[in-house]
Amino acid sequence: MEGSKKLHIDHAAQWSSAGLTIRQKEPKNLEAPFDPIDSYLTPTELFYIRSHFPTPTLDQASYQLRIDGAVRRPLTLSYAELRSMPSETRVVTLECAGNSRVFLVPQVPGAQWELGAVSNAEWTGVPLRALLERAGLADNACEIVLEGADRGTPKDEPLPPDPISYAWSVPRAKAIQPEVLIAYQMNGRDLSPDHGFPVRAIVPGHYGMASVKWLTRIQAVCEPFRGYWLTSDYAYWASMDGKPVRHPLGEMKLKSEIARPHVYETLAPNLTYTVSGAAWSGETDVTEIAVSTDGGRTWAEAEFLDPVRRHAWRRWKFDWLTPKETGPYTLLARAKDASGLVQPDKHDKNYGVYVINHSLPIEVFVDD
Ligand code: MTE
């Protein structure tokens, strides 16, 4: 896959001066401005923030990363030791599983994310696989639990009796893939406090909840870890023999979003307007993007601005000659992946308040 040498990315490219939108002040839940996607990488200060507890204060000098559980040689690494290991740099899009929740009708509880609980950055760190090899991962370990230093009492029932730390478990098959990073840099600089300083996990292709920030412990387990976040919170209804069962969320689903125009923007009639956006998916490549300007009756192919790079978004554009006839128009974007899968037109209710990956209607007015 792509290493840093092959990437030609302008870290200085600017987005607009718009800042983040506050969805919740404390703990910090801040949405990125999705519309000014002029730059492929989201500048760090505009990258969305999704935290369940207040940002912990960690010190680089005393930082320790413990690797234990079902391993033959448990070990503890200092920040300097981690930095001295061979590193990799990858571009990865993170999307919160609750992104676009505001589009669900009727309204559901939870932060009302619009289009910007998704961002794209370049991450540098040590492959998790290298750490697991060093620790001697047991053959029967089935999951790798990633634990953060942040603690508190979560808000959704059923609640654990005492404060807990944020922790997520990654299936072994994914954890040993070369793209999973224990990262210490974002966009070429040390992680910022809100994005996990000094060290976080980056699990490309999985929803953001797997990319544990303020990472202090990596624990291999031989039974599925059924912690709060994987059962009470980021879980969905799968089917076992026709019976619904709870499973933790994992892979990001194919999705495209329209960045421009905005909902309820007024566009001039009979003029070329460049509709733009981005598309991404989990463990496959986005290969086609179509746009409808008539609420889904007809579709036209849009043009990608970025090459295929697994786990990173591709921006796209479509030049629309706006109609002469004034009135409301509904725009939709629909992505297709390499396997032929097409972005759905409806939200799958098995996912509850998460995985809102259907084509999102953007209503605009053509008026002079
Ligand atoms: N890691 C810790 N320790 N605590 C958290 O609350 N939030 C998760 C994940 N990692 C979280 C965490 C969620 S739900 C998301 S979507 C991503 O971090 C967001 O990463 P970001 O804030 O850097 O955008």
Side-chain angles (χ1 to χ4, degrees), residues 8-14 39 41:
H8 301 287
I9 285 161
D10 179 8
H11 287 124
Q14 289 300 300
S39 90
L41 296 182

Side-chain angles (χ1 to χ4, degrees), residues 5-168:
K5 280 175 237 80
K6 286 193 212 136
L7 303 176
H8 301 287
I9 285 161
D10 179 8
H11 287 124
Q14 289 300 300
W15 278 26
S16 82
S17 57
L20 297 163
T21 302
I22 299 174
R23 297 274 163 244
Q24 190 183 345
K25 202 151 191 272
E26 196 57 49
K28 282 186 197 148
N29 285 289
L30 306 179
E31 178 155 350
F34 186 66
D35 57 324
I37 49 169
D38 311 329
S39 90
Y40 178 55
L41 296 182
T42 312
T44 302
E45 63 280 10
L46 293 181
F47 199 102
Y48 83 92
I49 298 171
R50 176 44 175 139
S51 297
H52 289 273
F53 301 130
T55 299
T57 309
L58 297 182
D59 173 33
Q60 213 166 273
S62 58
Y63 172 80
Q64 291 201 320
L65 177 59
R66 177 92 189 132
I67 305 162
D68 61 7
V71 295
R72 287 185 290 280
R73 299 175 291 277
L75 65 124
T76 303
L77 291 175
S78 68
Y79 182 78
E81 284 168 322
L82 186 73
R83 289 289 304 241
S84 70
M85 291 180 70
S87 71
E88 296 217 7
T89 298
R90 289 174 184 275
V91 176
V92 176
T93 296
L94 291 190
E95 183 189 17
C96 181
N99 187 31
S100 314
R101 186 173 289 141
V102 76
F103 285 86
L104 294 182
V105 180
Q107 196 182 4
V108 294
Q112 296 300 302
W113 299 106
E114 297 180 5
L115 298 167
V118 59
S119 304
N120 190 47
E122 192 189 67
W123 308 92
T124 302
V126 177
L128 172 57
R129 172 158 94 169
L131 297 174
L132 295 174
E133 271 166 17
R134 195 159 151 179
L137 182 62
D139 293 342
N140 60 342
C142 65
E143 291 182 3
I144 307 299
V145 182
L146 306 169
E147 189 175 338
D150 50 334
R151 285 182 78 78
T153 301
K155 59 180 178 33
D156 295 319
E157 299 283 348
L159 288 179
D162 295 309
I164 56 169
S165 53
Y166 185 86
W168 188 261

Side-chain angles (χ1 to χ4, degrees), residues 215-232:
L215 184 71
T216 49
R217 186 175 179 201
I218 298 172
Q219 184 195 7
V221 292
C222 301
E223 296 281 332
F225 174 66
R226 299 187 38 77
Y228 175 83
W229 309 100
L230 296 100
T231 52
S232 287

